[in-house]
Amino acid sequence: MSSVAVLTQESFAEHRSGLAQQQVKVTALNSEEENDPPTYKEAFPPLPEKAPCLEAAQEPAGPWSKIRPIKASVITQVFHVPLEERKYKDMNQFGEGEQAKICLDIMQKTGAHLELSLAKDQGLSIMVSGKLEAVMKARKEIVARLQTQASATVAIPKEHHRFVIGKNGEKLQDLELKTATKIQIPRPDDPSNQIKITGTKEGIEKARHEILLISAEQDKRAVERLDVEKVYHPFIAGPYNKLVSELMQETGTRINIPPPSVNKTEIVFTGEKEQLAQAVARVKKIYEEKKKKTTTIAVEVKKSQHKYVIGPKGNSLQEILEKTGVSVEIPPTDSSSETVILRGEPEKLGQALTEVYAKVWARPPLKAPKYTSLGTDRWRGVIYVRLEEIMAIGSEFFFTVSSVSAPSWLHRFIIGKKGQNLAKITQIKDLYKVSVRIPPDNEKSNLIRIEGDPQGVQQAKKELLELASRMENERTKDLIIEQKFHRTIIGQKGERIREIREKFPEVIINFPDPAHKSDIVQLRGPKNEVEKCTKYMQKMVADLVENSFSISVPIFKQFHKNIIGKGGANIKKVRDNTGARIIFPTSEDKDQELITIMGTEEAVKEAQKELEDNVVEDSMVVDPKHHRHFVIRRGQVLREIADEYGGVMVSFPRSGTQSDKVTLKGAKDCVEAAKKRIQEIIEDLVCCRNTVSSVLCSFSSVLLEPAVIPSSRGLYALNMRLSMFSAPVVEPAVQENGEESGEGKEGKDTDPSSPKKCDIIIISGRREKCEAAKEALQALVPVTIEVEVPFDLHRYIIGQKGSGIRKMMDEFEVNIQVPAPELQSDIITITGLATNLDRAKAGLLDRVKELQAEQEDRALRSFKLTVTVDPKYHPKIIGRKGAVITQIRTEHEVNIQFPDKDDESQAQDQITITGYEKNAEAARDAIMKIVGELEQMVSEDVTLDHRVHARIIGARGKAIRKIMDEFKVDIRFPQSGAPDPNCVTVTGLPENVEEAIDHILNLEEEYLADVVDNEAMQVYMKPSSHEESKAPSKGFVVRDAPWATVNNEKAPDMSSSEDFPSFGAQVAPKTLPWGPKR
């Protein structure tokens, strides 16, 4: 049987280090004399000579002796994925489908060989074969892709994170491979100390345990380890880890108990010495107490039922521990044992045993022998107890199974329509802690099964019997109701039917689909309730039939609006008085004059009478000389009368007919009121007189809004203002053509002190109303005041394009006049109504105060501070893309100005800061803090072979930026054509610079080895085609070969076993002896 041997990474490293000197030598020869071929010994290192004794054989003899013995590298491991943690649980597609594709992909990626098998408990067993590294990678892929993932976080001090990562992240990678988890550690600039772990529950527990151990080792506080037997760990942790959490909170000590999946007995305590001693003493006390008082009982439970005892995420075990104080120990999943051990105080073991079997859904037959061991006591020997006695101990806790008989057709009613009663059944289950099983229809069983403790079963049975009897008492009744009443019974938006259902909540009322035109309304519910609801709805239908009497009244279409009245006032009054429904024709009805009245016969006739009385036609006599007053301005007076008196229609005769008859149509009351109002207006016109009001011409346009006297629009607006006095304004003395009315040229010789006719407005009406109108008119005359405002604030008051002053004029309804800039005046004029001037003046002065406050604030913000900083530090203060200086500007709300490099007149070391004095000083301190840090930095030159610069820098500088961010240093590489191409400058804090230099030297060593290997291989590689064309090939040439010496030795015999000794059985190597190609 042959085995495959592969050179390991460690042996290759030693081999490479052993040959390093000769490789360097070859490189040096190549650089000095590129045309000189290598010597025979360089190309073919001699094998070690045969050692005369054992000691001599162990001594190194040449570079080949440094290679360690080659070991077999193929290993095999088996991983198990439980059923509840499997991602793909379809048993019909085992070995195919998505699961098979994932396995093939894992084998291709890792190079490992996978074999899958299905265990008895439907868990997945995976055997992985291959190299150690490939097996660990395959395991990680299996956990990530075939097993359900969970996540958890663990908090450790931020300064301990780097110890979890390890050098170059090796420790973190090793931890992820060992635990098959994904561990995410926050970046150094992230303030969070939470480490996120993703993977299986077992892997998360292991990783969490390892991380906490690393943190505990690195913690400066005291660390103590206490060896406690694994079986007593649950008592120390307590149910749901409550006990240990309380202990940690009380003592301030961190206690790390290894999870059940980790086979360690050590409990690690970390904290202050005094508090740590208290925590250790408390744990020891619990341990000694439990060790003295507890005993064990072993029972057999089927392996397939262990998962029910454990529960989701181990909750069932914690629940049993919380209820009984007994710890349940389950054998590992990879063990074939079915023995479950209960550990606790003897008086509580019976209850715990009952809880265990309760978790297995029902009480299974015990597989234990006739006598079962309850544990060993070193003082009393071995205690045995009969199983009958165990049953007696826990008899009051064991389950009871009972049944409720209900016809199978009732089961769907117990469940309810669309499961509406399931909430009630769930409430019964939760309240009494029982299991209720209603058989499906295909079983045709009348029994509803209830399982649980005896008391809960009895209570649940009682509740279900009541529910079944209530459902059994249910009946269905069909009620005949004409379809035309369905919509009325349902009501607008279902309001009336909602009231009925609220009154009879146990009755279900179903109306037929309107498209079916059916008269059957179905009622379903308890018998008594259905009868009550039937009587109620029958009475409602009888009322509807009684109120369904209707009659149609023809009324001319133009009078419909009179019947309705303003805002529906008239029709609402009729409906309220009679209780009848009045329906007006719609635009789709053929007869537009028929108004339908519905209700009781008495109510309909009463409503008909009111409608007919509501529309009358009457007339009155009005002198034709007054007709114009009513019809001018497009009948404004008539419109006002119609709006005020219920839409009454008033018709005056056409002009030129010389008729004095005026017709009124509408509601009787409205017509009478309109006649009375028209008569009052006529009396005012007869008794009216003129009142003269003198108003300055400059303000006449203000009064008459927007037009100049005698604009009809302005007169109309003024009349609207004075309408409350019933005093219409007539035209001023100046006519439209500009001539004076009724005066002629004599008006030119009048007294100049008397008011001009253009300033006179004539008011017509009753004396008392004209006087009131005159006073109101004079109150509309604008008033002017002056406000003193500093001239330099005028432009801010005006605002951009006059927006500020327009806003004030609109707000206060005044006119504000700002003097022209060339006048340099401080006086601002405000013109408007007297009632608005005070508010406008106060608003203007408030605006002045705001502007003065802004000026003072602007002066404070103009404080300047100059900082002297060496120009070499300016780029660091500015930061990459201005990030640092932008942060300082934003944080302190200042403006920072750096000197212009091209302006030689400026001092290049002066930085100007502008802002509030306090903020400027804070910004200066921030800059000087950065300068102080920069001054503490050192710069060191390190020699790095220029051939590895490109690899250290990385694509687009990504690798070197990562190094600079990690070590917080600045690394500068020489420019092309520099005197020393190997000189690299590292700048930063001394400790950071040293770490960064060590790191890049390590990278240089790694990359340089690759460069040397490549250059050494170039010697033996075939030259390119264009080089072959230049010179003839010499083949492989070596110097100082044995056959080329002076002794003229012949070339070695390739078939000679003496010249070329055998290494043993020939095996076709899978890899090159010097490792894989890079």
Side-chain angles (χ1 to χ4, degrees):
M1 181 176 179
S2 62
S3 62
V4 179
V6 181
L7 188 66
T8 63
Q9 187 175 0
E10 292 81 0
S11 58
F12 169 64
E14 289 196 7
H15 166 65
R16 189 174 68 177
S17 62
L19 297 180
Q21 295 178 355
Q22 296 183 4
Q23 289 174 347
V24 171
K25 185 177 179 181
V26 172
T27 306
L29 288 172
N30 288 336
S31 60
E32 293 174 3
E33 298 177 318
E34 294 181 356
N35 296 328
D36 291 345
T39 63
Y40 179 80
K41 288 187 177 181
E42 289 172 350
F44 304 101
L47 295 173
E49 297 181 359
K50 190 173 182 180
C53 61
L54 184 62
E55 289 76 19
Q58 292 178 350
E59 294 177 0
W64 293 101
S65 62
K66 291 192 176 184
I67 301 177
R68 290 182 179 178
I70 299 173
K71 300 177 182 178
S73 61
V74 177
I75 64 169
T76 301
Q77 288 189 9
V78 179
F79 306 113
H80 184 72
V81 181
L83 174 63
E84 58 270 17
E85 295 184 10
R86 285 179 56 186
K87 267 190 183 178
Y88 305 95
K89 300 180 181 179
D90 191 354
M91 306 306 171
N92 298 326
Q93 292 189 355
F94 179 74
E96 58 185 29
E98 190 66 24
Q99 189 170 255
K101 291 179 183 177
I102 291 173
C103 291
L104 288 173
D105 187 45
I106 292 173
M107 287 195 287
Q108 290 176 358
K109 280 185 178 180
T110 62
H113 179 70
L114 272 65
E115 292 184 9
L116 275 70
S117 62
L118 205 61
K120 290 182 180 180
D121 60 350
Q122 302 301 321
L124 195 65
S125 296
I126 306 169
M127 186 173 72
V128 187
S129 302
K131 296 181 181 179
L132 177 61
E133 185 179 357
V135 168
M136 299 308 290
K137 288 182 179 178
R139 178 193 177 191
K140 187 175 180 181
E141 290 285 330
I142 288 167
V143 168
R145 301 175 67 179
L146 295 181
Q147 201 164 355
T148 56
Q149 300 290 295
S151 63
T153 57
V154 57
I156 64 172
K158 188 78 175 175
E159 58 270 15
H160 294 174
H161 287 192
R162 62 193 185 97
F163 298 104
V164 178
I165 298 171
K167 188 175 181 181
N168 297 329
E170 293 175 358
K171 198 165 188 177
L172 180 61
Q173 293 173 7
D174 184 50
L175 184 58
E176 288 182 334
L177 285 174
K178 282 182 180 178
T179 60
T181 57
K182 175 66 177 177
I183 302 173
Q184 298 177 357
I185 298 178
R187 295 179 59 84
D189 54 356
D190 190 345
S192 174
N193 64 347
Q194 299 284 340
I195 297 177
K196 185 177 181 182
I197 310 170
T198 306
T200 63
K201 183 184 175 186
E202 182 182 350
I204 289 172
E205 288 178 347
K206 290 181 180 178
R208 184 176 180 276
H209 178 66
E210 292 295 331
I211 289 172
L212 290 175
L213 283 180
I214 293 171
S215 177
E217 290 173 1
Q218 299 300 330
D219 204 324
K220 294 180 181 179
R221 297 181 295 174
V223 178
E224 185 169 345
R225 290 173 172 81
L226 182 63
D227 195 11
V228 177
E229 292 180 50
K230 188 78 176 176
V231 295
Y232 295 101
H233 286 188
F235 299 106
I236 296 170
Y240 302 103
N241 290 325
K242 290 181 181 177
L243 189 58
V244 73
S245 299
E246 292 174 0
L247 185 58
M248 290 168 64
Q249 190 172 2
E250 289 174 8
T251 62
T253 303
R254 190 160 71 242
I255 303 173
N256 184 21
I257 300 176
S261 57
V262 177
N263 191 21
K264 289 184 178 180
T265 60
E266 231 179 31
I267 299 178
V268 181
F269 299 78
T270 308
E272 299 294 337
K273 291 185 179 180
E274 294 180 2
Q275 297 173 343
L276 184 142
Q278 293 178 9
V280 172
R282 291 272 296 275
V283 171
K284 283 182 179 178
K285 183 180 179 182
I286 295 171
Y287 170 51
E288 296 296 337
E289 184 180 346
K290 292 298 178 183
K291 195 172 182 181
K292 184 185 297 184
K293 291 184 179 181
T294 57
T295 184
T296 60
I297 178 173
V299 294
E300 298 292 320
V301 177
K302 287 184 180 179
K303 190 76 174 178
S304 60
Q305 294 177 326
H306 285 187
K307 58 187 175 184
Y308 302 115
V309 179
I310 297 171
K313 299 181 180 179
N315 283 342
S316 296
L317 296 178
Q318 298 296 331
E319 184 181 343
I320 294 171
L321 181 61
E322 186 178 32
K323 284 184 178 180
T324 65
V326 175
S327 170
V328 181
E329 299 167 17
I330 305 294
T333 54
D334 55 356
S335 171
S336 60
S337 174
E338 294 186 344
T339 303
V340 175
I341 298 175
L342 282 71
R343 187 182 303 274
E345 297 177 9
E347 61 270 20
K348 296 182 180 179
L349 288 175
Q351 183 183 354
L353 182 62
T354 303
E355 292 288 342
V356 168
Y357 281 128
K359 298 301 178 186
V360 189
W361 180 72
R363 189 175 68 195
L366 290 173
K367 285 190 173 182
K370 189 172 183 180
Y371 291 92
T372 302
S373 172
L374 274 177
T376 303
D377 193 301
R378 53 183 170 181
W379 290 288
R380 299 178 227 166
V382 180
I383 300 173
Y384 289 94
V385 65
R386 285 180 176 273
L387 287 177
E388 289 80 4
E389 295 175 11
I390 296 173
M391 301 294 289
I393 293 172
S395 61
E396 57 180 307
F397 303 104
F398 278 122
F399 271 16
T400 297
V401 179
S402 183
S403 301
V404 176
S405 179
S408 58
W409 62 270
L410 266 180
H411 292 179
R412 61 193 181 95
F413 295 110
I414 293 174
I415 295 171
K417 187 178 181 181
K418 296 183 180 179
Q420 63 185 7
N421 291 338
L422 286 177
K424 176 67 176 174
I425 297 172
T426 304
Q427 185 179 358
I428 292 172
K429 290 162 65 176
D430 295 341
L431 182 61
Y432 302 115
K433 298 182 180 178
V434 295
S435 172
V436 179
R437 180 180 181 273
I438 299 176
D441 294 338
N442 55 7
E443 287 189 12
K444 297 181 180 179
S445 173
N446 294 340
L447 296 179
I448 298 174
R449 184 182 176 93
I450 309 171
E451 301 171 357
D453 66 83
Q455 188 177 358
V457 167
Q458 292 301 323
Q459 295 291 340
K461 182 177 179 180
K462 182 180 176 182
E463 293 268 3
L464 286 177
L465 283 172
E466 290 178 1
L467 184 60
S469 64
R470 191 162 60 248
M471 293 295 106
E472 193 172 10
N473 192 34
E474 189 177 82
R475 65 166 294 184
T476 302
K477 186 172 183 178
D478 292 338
L479 190 62
I480 305 300
I481 301 175
E482 291 184 49
Q483 191 184 25
K484 64 180 181 179
F485 296 127
H486 290 185
R487 190 172 179 183
T488 307
I489 294 172
I490 293 171
Q492 188 177 8
K493 296 182 181 180
E495 291 179 358
R496 298 188 69 178
I497 194 65
R498 197 179 300 119
E499 292 176 4
I500 298 171
R501 284 173 175 156
E502 289 174 358
K503 193 168 186 178
F504 304 99
E506 298 183 18
V507 180
I508 299 172
I509 306 172
N510 291 323
F511 284 86
D513 192 335
H516 296 165
K517 297 183 179 180
S518 173
D519 295 337
I520 299 174
V521 177
Q522 191 181 69
L523 308 179
R524 190 175 74 245
K527 184 177 179 180
N528 297 335
E529 293 295 315
V530 168
E531 291 298 333
K532 291 179 183 178
C533 186
T534 301
K535 291 179 182 178
Y536 182 83
M537 293 189 69
Q538 285 174 343
K539 186 177 181 300
M540 180 185 290
V541 172
D543 293 340
L544 290 174
V545 171
E546 184 182 353
N547 294 328
S548 61
F549 181 79
S550 65
I551 190 172
S552 296
V553 181
I555 297 177
F556 292 121
K557 179 71 176 176
Q558 60 267 30
F559 295 141
H560 286 189
K561 59 181 180 180
N562 301 104
I563 295 172
I564 296 171
K566 186 177 181 181
N570 296 341
I571 197 66
K572 185 178 180 182
K573 183 179 178 182
V574 174
R575 286 171 177 165
D576 293 342
N577 292 340
T578 63
R581 292 178 60 205
I582 302 173
I583 303 172
F584 287 86
T586 62
S587 58
E588 298 175 357
D589 293 334
K590 293 181 180 179
D591 195 340
Q592 295 290 310
E593 295 183 352
L594 285 180
I595 298 176
T596 305
I597 308 171
M598 295 182 66
T600 62
E601 185 176 357
E602 183 181 353
V604 167
K605 289 182 178 180
E606 186 180 351
Q608 180 184 6
K609 183 181 178 182
E610 287 200 21
L611 289 182
E612 290 175 346
D613 293 343
N614 224 350
V615 179
V616 296
E617 182 174 343
D618 200 357
S619 63
M620 65 181 296
V621 176
V622 177
D623 194 329
K625 67 180 181 181
H626 301 308
H627 288 190
R628 183 174 179 275
H629 175 76
F630 290 96
V631 298
I632 61 172
R633 297 191 298 274
R634 298 181 182 179
Q636 175 64 27
V637 177
L638 296 180
R639 284 200 301 272
E640 290 176 359
I641 293 172
D643 293 341
E644 187 175 354
Y645 300 105
V648 66
M649 294 176 60
V650 183
S651 300
F652 279 79
R654 293 182 178 275
S655 59
T657 59
Q658 299 299 321
S659 174
D660 57 358
K661 184 179 179 181
V662 177
T663 305
L664 295 89
K665 295 178 183 178
K668 188 176 181 181
D669 296 341
C670 295
V671 168
E672 292 298 327
K675 286 173 65 177
K676 186 177 179 182
R677 176 60 184 149
I678 291 173
Q679 195 63 39
E680 288 178 359
I681 293 173
I682 292 171
E683 290 176 2
D684 290 342
L685 291 175
V686 171
C687 301
C688 74
R689 65 182 298 280
N690 293 343
T691 297
V692 177
S693 177
S694 175
V695 181
L696 290 178
C697 186
S698 58
F699 297 136
S700 63
S701 60
V702 177
L703 294 177
L704 297 178
E705 287 181 346
V708 182
I709 297 175
S711 166
S712 60
R713 289 179 62 192
L715 286 171
Y716 169 68
L718 187 56
N719 272 308
M720 290 299 98
R721 291 186 181 184
L722 303 178
S723 61
M724 66 179 73
F725 306 108
S726 301
V729 180
V730 300
E731 295 181 358
V734 180
Q735 295 179 351
E736 293 182 5
N737 58 6
E739 296 180 358
E740 298 176 354
S741 59
E743 289 294 332
K745 296 181 180 180
E746 294 178 1
K748 296 180 181 178
D749 300 330
T750 58
D751 187 3
S753 61
S754 62
K756 298 179 181 180
K757 288 191 176 182
C758 65
D759 295 340
I760 296 174
I761 295 176
I762 302 173
I763 306 170
S764 300
R766 292 181 180 240
R767 181 181 182 85
E768 62 275 8
K769 293 183 179 179
C770 287
E771 292 298 332
K774 178 181 178 182
E775 293 177 3
L777 186 64
Q778 288 175 344
L780 295 176
V781 177
V783 181
T784 302
I785 62 171
E786 294 180 347
V787 181
E788 186 174 353
V789 177
F791 174 75
D792 57 338
L793 298 180
H794 287 190
R795 60 194 182 99
Y796 301 110
I797 291 173
I798 295 171
Q800 189 176 11
K801 297 181 180 180
S803 60
I805 200 165
R806 275 200 305 274
K807 181 180 178 182
M808 294 180 67
M809 289 193 291
D810 294 340
E811 182 180 354
F812 302 114
E813 298 180 357
V814 296
N815 181 40
I816 301 175
Q817 186 68 34
V818 179
E822 55 269 13
L823 298 179
Q824 298 287 313
S825 174
D826 293 341
I827 303 301
I828 292 180
T829 304
I830 304 176
T831 304
L833 300 180
T835 55
N836 297 336
L837 289 180
D838 292 339
R839 290 192 306 113
K841 182 178 180 181
L844 181 61
L845 293 177
D846 290 343
R847 178 61 179 157
V848 170
K849 290 180 182 178
E850 290 179 8
L851 294 173
Q852 289 174 344
E854 289 178 6
Q855 280 186 335
E856 293 175 2
D857 184 66
R858 197 178 299 113
L860 292 174
R861 285 204 308 268
S862 302
F863 178 79
K864 286 189 177 182
L865 189 66
T866 304
V867 183
T868 303
V869 177
D870 194 322
K872 69 180 181 180
Y873 296 136
H874 289 189
K876 291 293 183 182
I877 296 172
I878 295 171
R880 188 179 180 188
K881 296 182 179 180
V884 178
I885 198 65
T886 301
Q887 183 179 357
I888 296 174
R889 284 170 177 159
T890 306
E891 184 177 349
H892 300 288
E893 298 179 352
V894 295
N895 181 33
I896 302 175
Q897 191 69 34
F898 285 83
D900 189 357
K901 294 182 180 179
D902 299 331
D903 190 355
E904 296 180 356
S905 62
Q906 291 185 8
Q908 295 298 309
D909 59 350
Q910 299 294 319
I911 299 175
T912 305
I913 306 172
T914 306
Y916 291 112
E917 183 177 359
K918 184 178 179 181
N919 294 355
E921 290 175 353
R924 177 197 61 194
D925 295 342
I927 292 174
M928 295 311 296
K929 182 180 178 182
I930 296 173
V931 172
E933 292 176 355
L934 293 173
E935 289 175 348
Q936 292 177 4
M937 292 184 179
V938 297
S939 294
E940 290 192 20
D941 293 339
V942 58
T943 302
L944 290 181
D945 196 305
H946 66 278
R947 293 173 292 178
V948 300
H949 285 190
R951 288 196 65 180
I952 293 176
I953 294 171
R956 298 182 180 179
K958 186 176 180 181
I960 195 64
R961 279 199 301 272
K962 184 178 179 182
I963 295 172
M964 290 193 291
D965 292 342
E966 181 179 355
F967 295 99
K968 297 180 180 178
V969 296
D970 182 61
I971 302 175
R972 298 292 175 183
F973 286 84
Q975 300 289 337
S976 58
D980 187 359
N982 298 330
C983 182
V984 176
T985 304
V986 183
T987 305
L989 296 176
E991 58 273 13
N992 294 346
V993 169
E994 291 178 5
E995 291 181 5
I997 290 175
D998 291 342
H999 181 71
I1000 59 178
L1001 287 176
N1002 290 338
L1003 292 179
E1004 180 203 24
E1005 182 180 351
E1006 181 181 346
Y1007 297 154
L1008 192 59
D1010 296 341
V1011 173
V1012 171
D1013 289 347
N1014 291 337
E1015 290 182 353
M1017 291 299 296
Q1018 290 296 328
V1019 179
Y1020 308 107
M1021 291 177 67
K1022 183 178 179 181
S1024 58
S1025 58
H1026 67 276
E1027 290 177 354
E1028 288 181 351
S1029 61
K1030 291 181 181 179
S1033 174
K1034 297 181 180 180
F1036 181 68
V1037 181
V1038 294
R1039 295 181 290 109
D1040 301 333
W1043 55 83
T1045 57
V1046 183
N1047 298 333
N1048 294 325
E1049 294 182 6
K1050 63 178 181 177
D1053 186 3
M1054 299 289 291
S1055 61
S1056 172
S1057 60
E1058 184 176 353
D1059 291 342
F1060 294 92
S1062 174
F1063 287 105
Q1066 293 184 356
V1067 178
K1070 290 188 177 180
T1071 56
L1072 297 173
W1074 44 80
K1077 292 184 178 179
R1078 294 185 181 271

